[in-house]
Amino acid sequence: MAQLITGTDLARQFKSAVKENVTNIQKRDPQFAPTLIIVQVGARPDSNVYVRMKRKASEETGIRCVHKNFAEDVNEYELLQAIEGFNNDPSVHGIIVQLPLPSQLNEQTITEAVSPEKDVDGFCEANLGKLAKRGCEPSFVACTPRGVMELLKHYNVSLSGKNAVVIGRSNIVGRPMSVLLERANCTVTLCHSKTADIAQFTKTADIVVAAVGIPRFVKAEWLKPGCVVIDVGINYIPDATKKSGSRLVGDVDFDNAVKVAGAITPVPGSVGPMTVAMLMQNVYESALRFRAIARQHNVSLLPLKLQDPVPSDIEAARSQTPKHIAKLASEIGISASELELYGPYKGKVNLNILKRLNHRKDGHYVVVTGITPTPFGEGKSTVTAGLVQALSHLDKLAIACVRQPSQGPTFGIKGGAAGGGYAQFIPMEEFNLHLTGDIHAITAANNLLAAAIDTRMFHESTQKDADLFNRLVPAKKGVREFSPVMFYRLKKLGINKTNPDDLTPEEKTKFARLDIDPDTITWHRTLDVNDRFLRKITVGQNPTEKGRTRETGFDISVASECMSVLALSKDLKDMRERLGRMVVASSKTGEAITADDLGVGGALAVLMKDAIKPNLMQTIEGTPALVHAGPFANISIGASSILADRIALKIAGTEADEDPKKDAGYVVTEAGFASDIGMEKFFNIKCRNSGLVPGAVVLVATVKALKLHGGGPSVSPGKPLPDVYLREDVELVRKGCSNLKKHIENARKFGLPVVVAINKYVSDTAAEVAAIREEALAAGASDAVVSNHWAEGGKGALDLAKALIHACENEEHNFHFTYDLDLPIEKKIEIIAKEMYGADGIELSPLAQERMQRFKEQGYNNLPICIAKTQYSLSHDPDLKGAPTGFTVPIRDMRLSAGAGFIYPLAAAIMTIPGLPTRPAYYNIDLDENENIVGLM
């Protein structure tokens, strides 16, 4: 009698091992949850049995099993959409389609829709093809053939050099079985039910695998005495002795074959249990693979084609072929379902990624700021790009979080703001222009609110109270209902009624009549272009407005409070609430009038619902960058969005069993202008809102800029550069370091280490650089490092990256804010002026005092402060270079951004929409004969 090769005990061992492995990993990593999706269409009794069996095995192994049962008449498109959703869900590790399918569905189309990386059944074209191709490994091996190989191994069946016959050519068993036996060095013959005289092959076979699907097809007389017989068949034949009326038999005549074979598998009790066990093993291994991929973050660096001299920024950018943005997303662990493509090189990241990665500890957080800006340009964006490129060269996951440039400066003076040389963001044309339309959405929302203000005043002035209420809450089919947005105003008024007809006449008047005081309107219209002639305009000139004219003006779009709201929102709901809270004016009785009072808060959120998703782009070396929001730094907070930072920090973060210092990646973001403006607002406003705390500050300085701060002659666009900026002058550099020292001092006041990045120019000398380093270290910097990323890309910033890593991983952090929120408004302004600017104090104009008093009365005293002042000096006077002292900061006006959540005083003469110079950058911008954009910097 043949030895019985049973699989029940071995299958139990495999399932126990899977259970133990899953449990052990979950002790270290609670987020580890291998998940199998079973797709079933209809409710065939035999399919139900198989599904129950797989669900039971999942329970036994600690695998999460989700049974998705679709109606018998489901259409193919709907089913394919569901499978695509499972493919794109990072929490799903295995998908099986329970066969057979109803006749209206194409089985080949449906099963091939399953991603090869999740095809735990192992019979899609990609996995079968890789199994058959020499030198390739599939993601999965079909469960039954894999189980057979494990049985043969367990029973010490020798395979090398043996003759094997496989009967059956299905993709599920026969074909993969023959390949696996061949890989084990068997000589394999593949037969099937149509093969003539199968016995001539089986009689010489050492191993026979029967998978033809015909009861007792293989006869005992076909077998070579002592051979090994593997019966894969599952066939039901009539049997009156059984309660069910049938019994299960295999493809082999077992009762007779057992007397000839040396070893044989019984049916049931051998291959079946192993098939289910291998399915569980495949799901477990898939979960391990996805876990490893999620932690690897293998960002492939794009090679640079360096040129000397370095070409123009746009030429350098065009010398590189960017990665497809979906590839970059995959490299950093963003799933296909979390990325919305906007062409091949940019996409929006869905906020759902924060839920998936919420368990991770944040990565290292770094902010880049600079010394007081000069016409030379200090290169913060270039340093940001170069630094993330360098960190990637050091095998650190690094993500840049930067603002989207406004088209105002792009067409005005700067000509672009994507970095430069071999440290920039690409495609730089898209980065500098429309990108994904976020700024246009801001503009549309801002101007809708502006229109709502004038419209409401017009209609209130032309209608009686009752008529106004009836038009705001019209009866439809005899029933009046408040719009959802109207409940914000009702709540504010203390009216708890939900039926409009229940309001008293007095309540209806209070609800309907905002009674806006035109002199208190602070909301301007916007556009994303520098246009000085729109700073003050008159609206209402048309006869249809019946003489209701008023003076107003335009701001540049990135100065809109809508942009600040975008940058500071934590999620879509938070953005909706903030937009509704924006104060646009006061009533004649002093009540703050908000966007929700006007009924427009929800509409603003609708216009900005896509803008809230950060944009994924890349540097010139193919490292990731999240580009999002762009509030002006001298008017607003000057930082990219909290959401972009949070997403990046989770992507770069660590799992529970990883070292949060050594294994974490780096998020490098940028604060607009210098430490006195952008960095101060970054910490006191953005970090206060987000709860995120950076580990270090990178302070950018250049030799040329420090010479200007040391008393060097002024420079102007289009004029020859004075000789002092092109030759060595160490003393002038040292004098200018007074400005550098003040910015180091400012950063250190927040309790963080400071690394000075000396952005290299060709004309810099070793002595000048040494002087900067000496002065920086004496002022308290952790290090001061020359960086040549502009000419060399990431490799030129390696020393800077190493200094930053050392600061983040080894130096003490003791972060704290500059002021407490419960201090009076004027005291908070004074603290900023003294601590950050070096002023003796502040002076409030009568207008500023009047506005401040109104804000206090309206309940806005506890907001942080966002001072709008010149970026060209630590003081309010752009002509005062270096580190001026002995000055008083004049506060001429004060405005409220209640939705964004800050008060912004205006120091001296600050324009909320820039003007164009005599020769704007648009003179250089055009299309060439090949329709390529030229002239961007």
Side-chain angles (χ1 to χ4, degrees), residues 821 823-832 861 863 865:
L821 290 181
L823 290 172
I825 294 172
E826 62 270 31
K827 184 62 176 176
K828 288 181 280 194
I829 300 170
E830 182 182 44
I831 290 173
I832 294 171
N861 184 76
L863 294 180
I865 302 300

Side-chain angles (χ1 to χ4, degrees), residues 234-246:
I234 301 176
N235 308 288
Y236 288 92
I237 62 172
D239 188 339
T241 66
K242 300 291 182 181
K243 185 177 179 180
S244 64
S246 63

Side-chain angles (χ1 to χ4, degrees), residues 137-194:
E137 289 299 327
S139 297
F140 303 98
V141 173
C143 299
T144 299
R146 183 177 182 181
V148 169
M149 296 303 289
E150 292 292 348
L151 279 169
L152 294 173
K153 177 183 175 182
H154 181 72
Y155 282 91
N156 297 314
V157 175
S158 175
L159 297 177
S160 184
K162 300 298 179 65
N163 290 323
V165 170
V166 177
I167 306 173
R169 52 186 171 179
S170 73
N171 291 331
I172 301 174
V173 182
R175 293 186 188 279
M177 191 74 249
S178 64
V179 174
L180 288 174
L181 289 167
E182 183 196 16
R183 285 188 167 202
N185 298 315
C186 288
T187 300
V188 183
T189 303
L190 181 63
C191 300
H192 46 81
S193 61
K194 305 300 182 186

